[in-house]
Amino acid sequence: MASNSLHLSRARFTRFKTRQPFSFGLPNVAANIAQQSDGSASYITRVSSLLRQQILPTAASVKIVSDTIHLDVLAKPHWQQPFHRKRILFLIPADALGDCVGMVMFLRAFQAAYPSCKIGLLNTGSASDIFATLEHVEIFQLFVSANQLRRFDTVIDLSEMEGWKDIATAPVDCEGGLCRHFAISPVPLPDTSRHKTDDLHIAILPMASSPLRTLPPQFVAQTALALCGQASSVTVVLNAYQGVKEAYKTAIGALPGNITLIDGFKTIGELIAFISSRDYVIVADSGPAHITKLSGVPGTGVYTSASATVLHGRFTNIRAWQSDYQGDYCHAPCGLAKLHATQEGDIGCMGSLSVSRDMLVSLPTRRDSALVQRLSTVEPVPCVRHLTTNFAAFEKFVQSDIATRARP
């Protein structure tokens, strides 16, 4: 490959050495994706903090060679070349579930365009189970050895995708953007036709990583009660790894009859399997909403601060219900995906802090767990709280959609 088509990766890696065997696997990833050493002279990893926390304690002979390694990667202007019979290692820039689902859909398209291409994925992290839904890919969830790295002809850093630098504050259609960059067509949408029976199993997945997108507990309880009379089962699924889970569960309160509340799943793979087994889902603007794209499960997505237009793109299995809040300082959807901070350090959104958008100057530099819990369970931000004021219209919308798409 011509040297002028290469440049250094945006991603910075750590190179380390050890003569002792070691293995690594994240707790929310299927055990069969765990990695082992292979006797190479050295290894590289992007997540040096995990290296120090997980590998160093179990392999005392580890020596960190450098924390400033950048790989030679194919520059974005050359992404539209043919890749037939190439061996390509894609650098995955982050493990946010929604973004990684978009990357999986892009990789399905890439495999369809170049079936003879061998693909490896580095830095899949907590999203490794999502990438494991692909066939014939090699997953490196944390590190790659020198021997493994030499097997690849080309390395591509997907963080060079347009819009990636701002993805923390502005949603990006990863699938659509990457397909355009590589000049390939998306694969057909998953088949959404499902065997319809009177035995209807519904799931509600209300939690997101931000209080701006987590559904109010009162709204969740109302939804479950509204649906339990027409479904064989209604399951409310929380997030097993979120610190606010217990307070959120308490705020929902006791649920009768055929409504089950579960803490969540140990692995993302278990979550994927559960969602694909449901007849209908109601999801917050979070990872599970994107996971439905993998199998085409029908449902309703409830959107607050962010718009569903970009988040779901061409996927129509999830129908959008958008908060229509209008306030003195903001209206939904305002575009924020996360809480922001003022110059003085106050954390929230325009509506919760009663400030204009230009007063929110940055993402918070500290995590205020008490604030997150309060906004998620007791005092949601205005556009989220507004969902409960128009519940009758939401219930009618969902009932009609279930009758149309989930009932025989």
Side-chain angles (χ1 to χ4, degrees), residues 1 74 78-88 90 109-119 153-154 156 182-184:
M1 182 169 297
L74 185 66
H78 298 272
W79 285 3
Q80 296 191 9
Q81 66 178 272
F83 291 100
H84 301 288
R85 297 184 178 83
K86 296 289 187 180
R87 296 166 296 179
I88 299 178
F90 288 102
F110 189 90
Q111 288 180 315
Y114 304 108
S116 61
C117 190
K118 304 296 184 183
I119 294 175
D153 306 309
T154 305
I156 296 176
F182 285 84
I184 58 178

Side-chain angles (χ1 to χ4, degrees), residues 196-201 230-232 279 406-408:
K196 300 176 182 179
T197 70
D198 290 326
D199 192 25
L200 186 65
H201 299 281
Q230 63 172 305
S232 301
D279 301 300
R407 285 290 187 193

Side-chain angles (χ1 to χ4, degrees), residues 98-122:
D99 300 329
C100 290
V101 168
M103 293 180 208
V104 165
M105 297 307 296
F106 153 70
L107 289 166
R108 288 183 182 180
F110 189 90
Q111 288 180 315
Y114 304 108
S116 61
C117 190
K118 304 296 184 183
I119 294 175
L121 308 170
L122 176 58

Side-chain angles (χ1 to χ4, degrees), residues 217-356:
Q218 179 187 355
F219 178 83
V220 173
Q222 286 181 287
T223 302
L225 289 170
L227 296 176
C228 68
Q230 63 172 305
S232 301
S233 70
V234 176
T235 307
V236 179
V237 183
L238 304 185
N239 187 326
Y241 294 95
Q242 261 185 303
V244 74
K245 178 195 67 179
E246 292 302 323
Y248 193 90
K249 185 192 305 184
T250 300
I252 289 177
L255 296 172
N258 62 342
I259 304 173
T260 303
L261 188 150
I262 63 175
D263 286 348
F265 298 96
K266 182 180 179 181
T267 70
I268 301 300
E270 292 170 343
L271 175 61
I272 294 171
F274 173 79
I275 288 175
S276 66
S277 73
R278 299 299 91 179
D279 301 300
Y280 194 88
V281 297
I282 295 172
V283 288
D285 171 14
S286 190
H290 295 279
I291 286 173
T292 66
K293 299 174 182 177
L294 299 174
S295 59
V297 175
T300 295
V302 184
Y303 297 87
T304 51
S305 60
S307 169
T309 302
V310 174
L311 293 168
H312 266 265
R314 69 190 182 103
F315 294 87
T316 57
N317 62 300
I318 295 295
R319 303 263 171 95
W321 179 265
Q322 181 80 58
S323 172
D324 59 358
Y325 172 77
Q326 301 283 328
D328 293 335
Y329 298 93
C330 59
H331 61 85
C334 67
L336 293 186
K338 297 182 178 181
L339 297 173
H340 279 56
T342 65
Q343 190 71 47
E344 294 75 26
D346 296 325
I347 300 172
C349 68
M350 291 83 77
S352 65
L353 297 175
S354 298
V355 299
S356 59

Side-chain angles (χ1 to χ4, degrees), residues 23 91 149 155 169 196 236 275 279 303 350 391 397:
S23 61
L91 306 183
L149 188 58
V155 180
T169 56
K196 300 176 182 179
V236 179
I275 288 175
D279 301 300
Y303 297 87
M350 291 83 77
F391 184 78
F397 176 89

Side-chain angles (χ1 to χ4, degrees), residues 28 35 46 48 61 65-66 70 101 103 117 139 142 159 173 181 195 231 257 266 289 297 323 327 348 365 375 399 403:
N28 64 339
Q35 290 187 261
R46 185 175 179 183
S48 60
S61 64
V65 178
S66 174
H70 293 268
V101 168
M103 293 180 208
C117 190
I139 294 173
L142 177 66
S159 73
D173 174 12
H181 284 315
H195 182 60
K266 182 180 179 181
V297 175
S323 172
T365 56
L375 294 179
Q399 298 279 15

